[in-house]
Structure formats: structure tokens, C-alpha cells
Amino acid sequence: HDGHDHGDAEYDEHIWTSPKNAILMAEAIGKAIQAADRGSAEYYQTRTEEYTEKLRALDSELTKTVKEAKRDLLIFADRFPFLYLARDYGLEYYAAYPGCSSEATVAAIIEEVKQSGVLAIFYIELSNRLMADTIAEATGAEELLLHSCQNVSKEEFERGESYLSLMEQNIKMLKIALN
């Protein structure tokens, strides 16, 4: 995801980063489990409905957050596993990360941060934050975590963090970055 590209050929396997996709996934999994265990199908249907209701609340909160935001631009100084989140909620993005970004890309992102007035840049969980540190130092932007919900630290696991709790944290970070 070097730079800024919204071409149709772009692909991101991290489909769950959009609550809209998470709803579809939960419903499909629920139906498959109900079919596999027909004796408990009603239980699984109820649990699926309860969970998808929570996902719909996330979707609604995220939609409201973006709609009420002053800007629609995300700057990532790390890997970018949020293509579906950006597309589903109408967000623009720039991304650069170590090993896949040229000096020209990093310079262009630094310039974009300065020109756009973006106050925060993102990194993902378990990042070494080298690129984020570089861009933040050059621009004065705040570094914020946007969790891809694919990895959890030992501490997050012990706290019982879940997709729902991590996405709630993401919405808080987006509110900071987009306003």
C-alpha cells in the first residue's frame, strides 16, 4: 500500500477491519454453526443476533464519527490493513511503512501531513513505530494506535480485549484524528 491508490486491483485480506464485513462474517458463521448443530440451532441463532446487533452498533457509531468529522484523511506510518474500513466509510488514506516505502513516499506523506493540517498519524499493534516516529518528528503530529484486530498482546489477551472492545478503541482514535 505504498502511497495513495484506490484502484480496483487493490486487495486487502483484512476484511474484518470494517464492521460492515464483520456483520456479514458473523451471520455466515452463525448459519453454518446452526446447520452443523441443528439441535442447538435456536441457541446459535440467538447468540448470532445478539453479536450482530453489537456489530451494527459499531457500524452506526463509526458512520456517525466519520459523518461528523472535520476531515476524512487517514495517514498511516505503518502497514495498512484498513482498506475495507476506509472504503466502507468514505475515508481517504496515505500509507508508508518500512521496507516497502521509498524516501520519496515518506517525504510526500510528510508534506501531505503538513499541508492538510492532519494532527495525528496511525501505527498498528505490535509495530516498532520507526516510520511513525520519523513522520511524527518531522510534522509534530500525534501518534495513535489503530488496531487491526488480528494480533493481541499478552496484556490485551489477559484484559479480555475482543474485536468489539478493540474497535471501540479504534473509533475513539478516529475521533481524535479526524477532528
Side-chain angles (χ1 to χ4, degrees):
H1 301 285
D2 192 17
H4 184 231
D5 181 10
H6 288 265
D8 289 335
E10 205 168 1
Y11 173 77
D12 182 358
E13 69 274 13
H14 305 93
I15 61 175
W16 61 85
T17 60
S18 169
K20 292 180 187 308
N21 286 340
I23 291 166
L24 298 174
M25 293 168 61
E27 290 172 341
I29 292 167
K31 286 179 184 176
I33 293 172
Q34 290 168 45
D37 185 2
R38 295 192 187 280
S40 300
E42 187 176 317
Y43 169 78
Y44 295 122
Q45 180 178 353
T46 300
R47 297 291 294 155
T48 300
E49 289 170 0
E50 290 170 354
Y51 192 70
T52 56
E53 187 60 35
K54 292 175 184 177
L55 292 171
R56 288 182 208 295
L58 271 178
D59 172 51
S60 178
E61 187 175 355
L62 190 49
T63 298
K64 180 181 176 193
T65 296
V66 172
K67 182 179 179 183
E68 295 175 352
K70 294 178 184 172
R71 46 180 70 84
D72 65 355
L73 178 61
L74 303 176
I75 304 288
F76 274 81
D78 210 329
R79 297 192 178 277
F80 183 74
F82 296 99
L83 178 63
Y84 295 101
L85 177 88
R87 284 186 178 170
D88 284 352
Y89 297 94
L91 297 167
E92 297 292 323
Y93 62 89
Y94 287 92
Y97 56 93
C100 290
S101 296
S102 67
E103 287 182 27
T105 300
V106 175
I109 286 181
I110 288 170
E111 189 59 30
E112 180 65 32
V113 170
K114 289 178 179 179
Q115 288 184 5
S116 67
V118 167
L119 303 175
I121 57 170
F122 289 107
Y123 62 92
I124 63 171
E125 73 279 1
L126 307 179
S127 170
N128 66 18
R129 296 176 60 176
L130 293 175
M131 185 71 68
D133 291 345
T134 299
I135 294 172
E137 184 178 317
T139 63
E142 180 179 5
E143 295 177 49
L144 300 175
L145 168 66
L146 202 66
H147 208 294
S148 71
C149 305
Q150 69 179 347
N151 302 295
V152 291
S153 67
K154 180 181 178 192
E155 295 79 20
E156 289 168 331
F157 180 79
E158 289 172 350
R159 285 194 311 262
E161 297 289 356
S162 67
Y163 177 82
L164 294 169
S165 67
L166 294 172
M167 288 301 290
E168 282 290 339
Q169 291 173 33
N170 283 350
I171 291 170
K172 289 177 185 175
M173 296 300 106
L174 288 168
K175 286 178 181 179
I176 293 169
L178 297 174
N179 288 301

